[in-house]
């Protein structure tokens, strides 16, 4: 394999963002007919490196060769001309345009959508995609959007494909489909780079792995000769224990009881349909489901942020007193002694204010406390410092605006703040979305510590493998209905996956 | 029943400045630039044409050498040059320097109205005239040359042929703009830039160039609205502040037509009709009623806003990145 000419060679690539060194003299080879997994923690510079290949950023130093010839990639167009296409983590699609319009966007020549649609169908047939060229993007599911992105790149004749965390938003079934397509493309002689945090995906899909750490290239090797433990150690730089703890729940008592919960969104679409379950103290209740199946609405309804059509949500004290949460606003839910800590899906949009610094963001939770006219700035400042220290947030200081931090660090700040308010019920959605393996484990630890302290944790997650390892019970949502509640111990990934797509899983479609 | 055939041409000539303004602003907004400087740019478009025509008339009228063709072309080019400069200034502020679009636009409007009134006040002094207005009857007549040859035109002839060339140009420009936006690659790219510049950039579209071009061309089109008002509608007479609030009405029209220039043709005539209701039957109306009539177009716009927002159809919403500056390497 090593005596082939690489499709792409990156030598000595260095990129700085202000004082931060994002890539430091990185070397990387990409071969045709091979799937390369690019591994690294958050902020290790994987996406930056690939962005330089796709023309989004321009390297400060170093050179890039394609098929042995040195090239200069100044813009995405240059990259396309060299046959390099990147599928970004945040889809680059225009919502109000159709699939076909998005696919031909930026190409020269006369606009002929009919001819384009025909070519799109051809590509879809060749690799096994399903795309309706005339469907508007805003009507599409996440996985459909991703398919459009891949077709877009292929339409431009790309034979070097880069996928940045493609599976972060897919169900297990959709992921399998994607992998099948990627293998088809590899066998067709295309070079494929996939950026991911999920070890089992690396092992299942890739032929070779390359590891980055703190912007530096650590090494690469054939996937067959390595294992998850070794790769993780290389990423982190020291040995890491790769098991998620699942202590037995101690003395679980019903804490939140939801009965017949029905929620409609502003447009009148049914988001939650007759949902009933109980969350116990000292227990993690995992919530699984395809994105948009009502997870967000469920958490928001409990937190008092979502109007409820019918049903009841009861908070049960240790002594058995029950209090109805519906009809109370978030503030009074807090004031009556019910502490709900909410890590929203969209962490910067709802959880934190990007332009404010760490201490001020801590203060968002506490500014109403105290009796004087002036706010207490000292406590939040100390809290910010504690969070930075304990969760190893990499930041120049607590007075840095949150938007300057990388995604993983933003997440740590948010989770840290929510946990610091000593909740009785902890609601989290996608607490580890986009986090690398090391930070994810830090978060799992934090959540487990809350659980052992007797907090009722409701954990909405997207990685089924983690849910299966972490949660005591798993509530599976499908289209706003409860598809089933299964015990976390001994649950099979395939069964839960099926329950996510069909009510009741296999039993329902006999 | 009111005399519809008599009313329509009047509504049309009243609507043409609005049509130029809204077509220009629609193109601009499709690139994601919310140019609130349009009212000022229309003033500048008007006064630039007036300045060009003024000096051409100064040089030719007394000598008896005034020719209609240069008499039209000179003001036309001057007007477009003036609005182009305003458009470039707006782009430099908001695209290159990434200044706040609302603030920049409002500043340009104040600035443009000021420029118009300043030169509108100084030109009569150069001509040693005691009148408060600039009077360019020769140029006005050249602009007003119509297609209709007969001296007593029929009602249908009046409806279709009784206008100067700028009216037909306004129609042609807005229909062309609609076609370009809907059917061509340039239009597709422009829409993508206004909706999601990040995506457009990643697709290899030069976002800055599209923003500059759309905004400058849009400004030039809008400026023609000012020129038409002075040269054709007013017959070549500039009086300070005569153009009034038509620029804001043009911006309201953009919302009213949900960013569709071809709809703007009909909508501008409707707005024109509503506008003359207030200007026209002045003798029988008190000032208060007049002011109420003046409100109608804005009320209609608010109603349209309410309905499009209620229906919440994605296609009827403003371009998603409208009003936002774009910077590629922002993290």
């Amino acid at each position: 394999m090593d005596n082939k000419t690489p499709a792409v060679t990156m030598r000595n690539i260095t990129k700085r963002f202000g004082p931060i060194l994002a890539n430091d003299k990185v070397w990387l080879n990409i071969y045709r007919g091979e799937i390369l997994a690019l591994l690294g923690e958050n902020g290790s510079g994987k996406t930056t490196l690939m962005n330089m290949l796709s023309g989004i950023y321009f390297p400060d130093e170093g050179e890039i060769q394609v098929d042995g010839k040195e090239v200069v990639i100044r813009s995405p167009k240059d990259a396309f001309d060299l046959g390099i296409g990147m599928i970004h983590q945040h889809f680059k699609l225009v919502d109000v345009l159709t699939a076909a319009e998005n696919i031909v966007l930026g190409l020269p020549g006369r606009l002929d959508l009919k001819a384009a649609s025909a070519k799109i169908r051809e590509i879809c047939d060749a690799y096994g995609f399903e795309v309706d060229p005339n469907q508007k993007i805003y009507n599409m599911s996440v996985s459909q959007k991703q398919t459009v992105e891949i077709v877009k790149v292929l339409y431009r004749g790309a034979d070097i494909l880069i996928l940045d965390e493609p599976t972060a938003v897919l169900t297990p079934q959709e992921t399998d489909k994607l992998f099948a397509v990627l293998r088809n493309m590899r066998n067709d002689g295309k070079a494929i780079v996939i950026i991911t945090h999920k070890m089992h995906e690396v092992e299942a899909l890739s032929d070779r792995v390359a590891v980055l750490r703190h912007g530096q290239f650590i090494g690469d090797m054939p996937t067959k000769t390595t294992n998850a433990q070794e790769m993780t150690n290389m990423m982190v730089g020291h040995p890491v224990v790769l098991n998620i703890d699942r202590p037995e729940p101690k003395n679980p008592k019903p804490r939140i009881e939801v009965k017949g919960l029905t929620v409609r969104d502003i447009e009148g679409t049914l988001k939650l349909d007759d949902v009933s379950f109980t969350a116990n103290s000292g227990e993690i209740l995992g919530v699984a489901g395809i994105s948009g199946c009502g997870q967000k609405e469920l958490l928001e309804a409990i937190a008092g942020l979502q109007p409820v059509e019918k049903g009841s949500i009861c908070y049960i004290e240790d002594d058995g007193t029950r209090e109805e949460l519906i009809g109370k606003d978030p503030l009074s839910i807090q004031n009556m002694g019910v502490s709900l800590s909410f890590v929203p899906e969209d962490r910067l949009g709802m959880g934190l204010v990007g332009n404010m610094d760490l201490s001020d963001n801590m203060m968002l939770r506490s500014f109403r406390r105290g009796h004087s006219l002036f706010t207490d700035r000292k406590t939040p400042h100390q809290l910010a410092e504690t969070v930075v220290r304990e969760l190893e947030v990499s930041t120049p200081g607590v007075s840095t605006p949150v938007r300057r931090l990388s995604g993983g660090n933003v997440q740590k700040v948010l989770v840290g703040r929510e946990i610091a308010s000593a909740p009785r019920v902890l609601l989290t959605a996608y607490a580890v979305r986009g986090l690398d393996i090391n930070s994810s484990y830090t978060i799992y630890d934090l959540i487990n510590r809350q659980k052992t302290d007797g907090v009722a944790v409701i954990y909405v997650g997207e990685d089924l493998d983690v849910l299966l390892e972490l949660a005591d019970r798993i509530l599976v949502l499908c289209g706003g209905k409860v598809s089933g509640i299964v015990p976390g111990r001994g649950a099979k990934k395939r069964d839960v996956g099926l329950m996510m797509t069909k009510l009741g899983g296999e039993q329902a479609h006999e | 029943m009111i005399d519809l055939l008599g009313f329509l041409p009047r509504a049309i000539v009243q609507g043409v400045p609005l049509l130029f303004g809204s077509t220009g602003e629609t193109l601009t907004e499709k690139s994601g630039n919310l140019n609130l400087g349009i009212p000022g740019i229309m003033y500048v478009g008007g006064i630039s044409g007036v300045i060009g025509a003024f000096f051409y008339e100064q040089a030719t009228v007394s000598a008896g050498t005034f020719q209609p063709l240069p008499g039209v072309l000179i003001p036309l080019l001057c007007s477009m040059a003036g609005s182009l400069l305003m458009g470039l200034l707006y782009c430099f502020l908001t695209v290159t320097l990434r200044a706040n679009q609302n603030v920049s636009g409002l500043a340009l409007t104040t600035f443009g109205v000021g420029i118009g009134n300043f030169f509108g006040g100084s030109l009569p002094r150069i001509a040693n005239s005691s009148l408060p207005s600039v009077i360019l009857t020769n140029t006005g007549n050249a602009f007003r040359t119509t297609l209709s040859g007969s001296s007593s035109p029929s009602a249908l002839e009046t409806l279709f042929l009784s206008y100067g060339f700028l009216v037909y140009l306004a129609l042609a420009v807005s229909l062309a703009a609609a076609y370009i936006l809907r059917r061509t690659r340039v239009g597709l790219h422009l829409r993508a830039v206004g909706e999601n510049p990040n995506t457009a950039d990643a697709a290899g579209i030069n976002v800055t160039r599209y923003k500059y071009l759309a905004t400058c061309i849009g400004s030039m089109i809008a400026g023609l609205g000012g020129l038409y008002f002075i040269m054709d509608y007013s017959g070549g007479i500039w009086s300070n502040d005569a153009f009034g609030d038509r620029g804001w009405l043009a911006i309201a029209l953009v919302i009213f037509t949900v960013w569709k220039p071809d709809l703007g043709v009909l909508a501008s005539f409707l707005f024109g009709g509503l506008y003359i209701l207030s200007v026209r039957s002045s003798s029988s109306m008190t000032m208060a009623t007049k002011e109420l009539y003046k409100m109608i177009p804005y009320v209609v716009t608010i109603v349209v806003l309410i309905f499009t927002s209620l229906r919440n159809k994605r296609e009827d919403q403003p371009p998603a990145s409208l009003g936002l500056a774009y910077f590629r390497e922002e993290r």
Side-chain angles (χ1 to χ4, degrees):
Chain A
M1 198 168 277
D2 279 351
N3 49 18
K4 283 198 298 184
T5 14
V8 176
T9 306
M10 302 179 88
R11 293 167 187 245
N12 257 327
I13 301 287
T14 298
K15 175 76 186 171
R16 287 181 199 88
F17 291 105
I20 301 162
L21 199 59
N23 282 142
D24 184 11
K25 302 198 183 69
V26 175
W27 291 67
L28 188 71
N29 286 336
I30 301 170
Y31 298 92
R32 280 180 218 286
E34 186 180 273
I35 298 178
L36 171 73
L38 191 55
L39 282 174
E41 291 188 89
N42 291 115
S44 61
K46 307 172 303 267
T47 306
T48 309
L49 186 68
M50 288 300 113
N51 273 338
M52 282 186 278
L53 208 50
S54 65
I56 302 282
Y57 299 147
F58 192 73
D60 295 335
E61 285 162 38
E63 63 169 307
I64 300 175
Q65 295 182 349
V66 173
D67 291 324
K69 279 192 290 279
E70 186 173 347
V71 292
V72 177
I73 305 174
R74 294 201 166 273
S75 71
K77 210 184 146 291
D78 292 352
F80 287 137
D81 293 344
L82 293 166
I84 302 171
M86 180 155 171
I87 291 109
H88 296 269
Q89 200 176 350
H90 305 285
F91 298 139
K92 305 233 171 198
L93 296 170
V94 181
D95 273 359
V96 295
L97 302 183
T98 63
E101 283 175 323
N102 266 291
I103 286 167
V104 301
L105 196 65
L107 296 176
R110 241 185 58 97
L111 187 66
D112 185 352
L113 287 176
K114 259 195 202 132
S117 302
K119 194 174 160 194
I120 291 167
R121 293 217 171 82
E122 225 170 83
I123 295 172
C124 291
D125 292 344
Y127 295 107
F129 295 114
E130 283 159 35
V131 172
D132 173 8
N134 297 320
Q135 197 179 358
K136 294 264 166 119
I137 299 297
Y138 63 80
N139 281 329
M140 289 187 180
S141 71
V142 186
S143 123
Q144 282 175 304
K145 288 181 194 173
Q146 186 179 57
T147 314
V148 174
E149 283 280 23
I150 297 174
V151 174
K152 183 163 97 182
V153 168
L154 293 174
Y155 188 93
R156 278 144 219 258
D159 53 6
I160 301 162
L161 277 90
I162 306 161
L163 296 100
D164 190 357
E165 293 194 41
T167 61
V169 288
L170 301 183
T171 61
Q173 280 77 9
E174 287 168 338
T175 304
D176 289 344
K177 238 185 188 168
L178 173 71
F179 284 1
V181 170
L182 291 181
R183 287 191 194 104
N184 279 346
M185 291 199 265
R186 172 190 58 193
N187 299 341
D188 200 34
K190 296 191 186 301
I192 294 169
V193 182
I194 167 168
I195 300 177
T196 180
H197 294 306
K198 299 179 188 170
M199 284 301 160
H200 59 96
E201 291 182 353
V202 175
E203 291 175 320
L205 182 69
S206 71
D207 302 303
R208 203 160 54 91
V209 276
V211 182
L212 293 185
R213 182 169 75 225
H214 301 311
Q216 288 171 327
F217 179 72
I218 301 300
D220 65 343
M221 59 243 154
T223 313
K224 272 178 270 170
T225 65
T226 181
N227 56 46
Q229 187 65 55
E230 189 189 1
M231 290 187 277
T232 313
N233 293 352
M234 278 175 82
M235 270 163 61
V236 180
H238 54 83
V240 181
V241 183
L242 268 192
N243 289 319
I244 305 178
D245 260 7
R246 180 158 50 190
E248 281 294 325
K250 267 182 270 164
N251 187 20
K253 275 191 214 155
R255 173 64 52 79
I256 291 269
E257 196 175 86
V258 174
K259 269 197 192 137
L261 187 66
T262 303
V263 168
R264 275 178 206 278
D265 66 6
I266 302 173
E267 275 114 61
T269 328
L270 202 59
K271 283 296 186 181
L272 288 177
D273 187 3
D274 196 22
V275 169
S276 304
F277 65 91
T278 313
N280 296 328
S281 62
E283 190 186 83
I284 297 179
L285 176 69
V287 179
I290 303 168
S291 64
C293 270
Q295 299 96 318
K296 178 167 167 252
E297 286 74 14
L298 178 64
L299 294 196
E300 287 187 353
I302 300 175
L305 299 168
Q306 179 85 34
V308 171
E309 193 170 276
K310 59 176 194 267
S312 85
I313 302 170
C314 258
Y315 174 82
I316 306 164
E317 298 272 5
D318 287 340
D319 56 12
T321 352
R322 302 167 74 94
E323 278 192 89
E324 180 61 46
L325 294 188
I326 289 175
K328 296 200 160 59
D329 60 85
L331 192 60
S332 48
I333 288 181
Q334 274 184 2
N335 286 349
M336 59 188 262
V338 181
S339 2
L340 294 169
S341 292
F342 189 58
V343 181
E345 234 173 298
D346 174 8
R347 41 190 186 220
L348 259 187
M350 261 178 84
L352 299 168
V353 181
N355 282 332
M356 290 182 0
D357 68 19
L358 267 64
S359 327
D360 284 357
N361 269 298
M362 296 295 160
M363 221 163 100
L364 288 178
R365 274 267 173 232
S366 64
F367 69 95
R368 286 194 191 83
R369 275 178 224 144
H371 302 287
S372 94
L373 180 63
F374 301 101
T375 49
D376 171 18
R377 302 188 66 94
K378 224 180 195 167
T379 330
H381 187 80
Q382 283 161 354
L383 175 60
E385 282 183 339
T386 318
V387 168
V388 167
R389 198 173 51 243
E390 290 199 355
L391 301 189
E392 296 164 20
V393 179
S394 82
T395 167
V398 291
S399 50
T400 308
V402 167
R403 87 185 134 78
R404 294 250 183 86
L405 305 184
S406 80
N409 287 311
V410 169
Q411 189 82 319
K412 286 185 192 169
V413 171
L414 182 57
V415 175
R417 183 189 73 193
E418 295 305 322
I419 287 173
S421 66
R424 307 293 307 278
V425 177
L426 177 68
L427 303 173
T428 82
Y430 311 115
V432 297
R433 172 174 281 181
L435 287 196
D436 59 63
I437 200 148
N438 203 25
S439 320
S440 301
Y441 278 79
T442 317
I443 302 277
Y444 301 145
D445 274 354
L446 280 170
I447 291 174
N448 266 329
R449 234 186 288 161
Q450 295 297 305
K451 165 181 158 184
T452 37
D453 286 351
V455 173
V457 180
I458 301 182
Y459 177 93
V460 175
E462 49 200 348
D463 189 337
L464 260 188
D465 295 276
V466 171
L467 269 182
L468 293 172
E469 280 187 65
L470 181 70
D472 298 296
R473 290 183 303 142
I474 300 173
L475 168 77
V476 188
L477 286 176
C478 173
K481 288 195 172 97
V482 177
S483 184
I485 300 179
V486 293
R489 292 170 183 76
K492 291 244 167 38
K493 184 179 177 188
R494 193 171 153 272
D495 300 340
V496 176
L498 276 172
M499 286 166 78
M500 285 161 67
T501 45
K502 289 210 170 69
L503 274 185
E506 275 185 304
Q507 295 88 345
H509 60 99
E510 278 166 347
Chain B
M1 194 191 135
I2 51 161
D3 172 16
L4 191 66
L5 277 181
F7 182 77
L8 269 179
R10 297 164 53 88
I12 289 173
V13 296
Q14 193 61 254
V16 167
L18 309 182
L19 181 56
F20 273 121
S22 76
T23 308
E25 177 70 3
T26 304
L27 282 182
T28 309
E29 290 194 12
K30 280 289 179 188
S31 77
N33 276 351
L34 176 62
N35 188 356
L36 292 181
I38 284 290
I41 289 171
M42 293 176 84
Y43 263 86
V44 169
I47 198 66
S48 307
V50 166
I51 293 170
F54 178 80
F55 286 108
Y56 182 66
E57 284 207 7
Q58 288 274 305
T60 55
V61 170
S62 51
T65 51
F66 183 87
Q67 296 280 324
L69 190 63
V72 166
L73 280 181
I74 289 172
L76 193 67
L77 292 177
C78 287
S79 161
M80 289 171 74
S83 341
L84 174 65
L85 284 178
M86 292 290 277
L88 278 175
L89 180 59
Y90 178 82
C91 286
F92 179 68
L93 287 171
T94 62
V95 181
T96 307
L97 300 181
R98 290 187 281 274
N100 180 301
Q101 295 191 6
N102 298 332
V103 175
S104 312
L106 291 173
L108 277 198
T109 285
T110 318
F111 175 65
V113 172
I115 287 216
N117 288 344
F118 172 76
F119 284 104
S122 18
L123 288 181
R125 295 208 177 171
I126 297 178
N128 286 323
S129 154
S130 57
L131 291 168
S133 347
V134 190
I135 299 167
L136 306 158
T137 345
N138 289 300
T139 316
N141 286 337
F143 269 90
R144 281 178 146 183
T145 311
T146 64
L147 286 174
S148 156
S150 67
S151 51
S152 56
S154 71
L156 274 183
E157 269 182 305
T158 319
L159 181 57
F160 290 109
L161 300 175
S162 66
Y163 317 105
F165 76 99
L166 278 177
V167 174
Y168 304 101
L169 185 65
L171 288 175
V173 165
S174 57
L175 294 179
Y179 178 81
I180 288 170
L181 281 175
R182 215 165 286 168
R183 296 260 177 255
T184 67
R185 198 171 283 277
V186 173
L188 178 65
H189 291 182
L190 181 60
R191 280 186 288 154
V193 167
E195 288 291 337
N196 193 335
N198 261 307
T199 298
D201 196 8
I205 298 169
N206 188 334
V207 173
T208 307
R209 187 161 76 199
Y210 267 88
K211 282 192 169 228
Y212 259 89
L213 275 178
T215 307
C216 290
I217 291 173
S219 297
M220 291 197 283
I221 294 173
L224 290 181
L227 184 72
Y228 167 84
F229 179 80
I230 309 300
M231 295 305 176
D232 191 329
Y233 183 83
S234 316
I237 298 168
W238 169 283
S239 321
N240 278 358
D241 288 328
F243 189 68
D245 59 355
R246 286 176 174 81
W248 294 114
L249 211 49
I251 293 179
L253 195 58
V254 174
I255 302 166
F256 182 79
T257 58
V258 289
W259 293 266
K260 292 189 176 70
D262 45 354
L263 256 183
V265 174
L266 294 175
S268 66
F269 299 158
L270 173 71
F271 271 39
L274 294 172
Y275 201 84
I276 34 180
L277 284 181
S278 63
V279 188
R280 191 189 171 199
S281 30
S282 43
S283 51
S284 61
M285 258 190 261
T286 62
M287 282 300 282
T289 339
K290 261 176 84 172
E291 293 298 329
L292 279 177
Y293 270 107
K294 269 195 193 168
M295 277 190 242
I296 296 176
Y298 297 100
V299 173
V300 173
T301 304
I302 293 173
V303 171
V304 168
L305 263 180
I306 292 174
F307 273 100
T308 51
S309 305
L310 274 182
R311 277 178 64 212
N312 202 14
K313 200 173 147 214
R314 288 297 288 272
E315 282 80 0
D316 290 347
Q317 299 304 312
S321 87
L322 186 61
L324 307 174
Y326 175 61
F327 179 44
R328 182 190 281 178
E329 293 209 4
E330 192 155 71
R331 316 213 314 156

